[in-house]
Amino acid sequence: MALINPHINFNGNAEEAFRFYQSVFGGEFAQIMRFKDLASEEFPVPENEANKIMHIALPIGNNILMGNDVPEIMGRVNENENRSKISVSAASKEEADHLFNGLSAGGTVEYPMSDSPWGSYFGMFRDKYGIEWMIDFDSKYKGKV
């Protein structure tokens, strides 16, 4: 079965954001590649872009959260736009609370963790980097998601 692996763009703070995500989810980065790693005569990289993240990947369970910094030549990412949300299905209420509390730190809670009208334990927020998250635990799907 196919896996869905979210990929998110940043304006120069991808590494900071991913270190924050790593502090909540744990694990080790599968890959960190900087723009300077691709520099060549055919692909010159300006000095102010050299250390920015070209690709970063953090395995989370069977999925991978990926991201990058958008080079200035391509314009800026609107961090307040309505991006697609990243939905995380937790294995327990405790894990849901841990992820919600960790990832929402410094962000804006849109819907606090609580029993939802559709029967799951659910919360929604925008983290301090502008990324929108939904955390969900549904005992009906425990071990199936």
Side-chain angles (χ1 to χ4, degrees), residues 78-99:
N78 182 348
E79 293 173 345
N80 293 315
E81 71 184 8
N82 187 12
R83 298 181 191 172
S84 297
K85 291 177 172 38
I86 299 173
S87 179
V88 179
S89 297
S92 67
K93 270 189 160 183
E94 294 76 20
E95 183 182 46
D97 286 334
H98 169 75
L99 295 174

Side-chain angles (χ1 to χ4, degrees), residues 22 45 61 71 129:
Q22 181 186 40
V45 175
Y129 300 102

Side-chain angles (χ1 to χ4, degrees), residues 88-131:
V88 179
S89 297
S92 67
K93 270 189 160 183
E94 294 76 20
E95 183 182 46
D97 286 334
H98 169 75
L99 295 174
F100 185 91
N101 292 333
L103 291 168
S104 66
T108 304
V109 173
E110 297 170 352
Y111 188 92
M113 288 302 300
S114 60
D115 292 327
S116 70
W118 54 90
S120 70
Y121 186 60
F122 175 83
M124 188 168 57
F125 58 92
R126 182 184 296 264
D127 73 18
K128 63 185 176 182
Y129 300 102
I131 304 303

Side-chain angles (χ1 to χ4, degrees), residues 11-74:
N11 291 315
N13 61 345
E15 184 170 7
E16 176 188 341
F18 269 74
R19 294 214 181 271
F20 172 71
Y21 301 147
Q22 181 186 40
S23 75
V24 176
F25 287 106
E28 298 298 323
F29 293 115
Q31 188 174 38
I32 300 177
M33 182 177 285
R34 299 182 187 284
F35 282 102
K36 68 182 177 184
D37 299 331
L38 300 175
S40 67
E41 286 184 27
E42 298 81 33
F43 186 72
V45 175
E47 189 175 324
N48 66 323
E49 303 271 278
N51 282 317
K52 290 182 179 178
I53 300 295
M54 188 271 172
H55 177 75
I56 190 165
L58 178 63
I60 301 171
N62 292 328
N63 300 294
I64 301 174
L65 178 62
M66 296 176 281
N68 67 281
D69 288 313
V70 175
E72 291 175 14
I73 195 166
M74 295 178 73

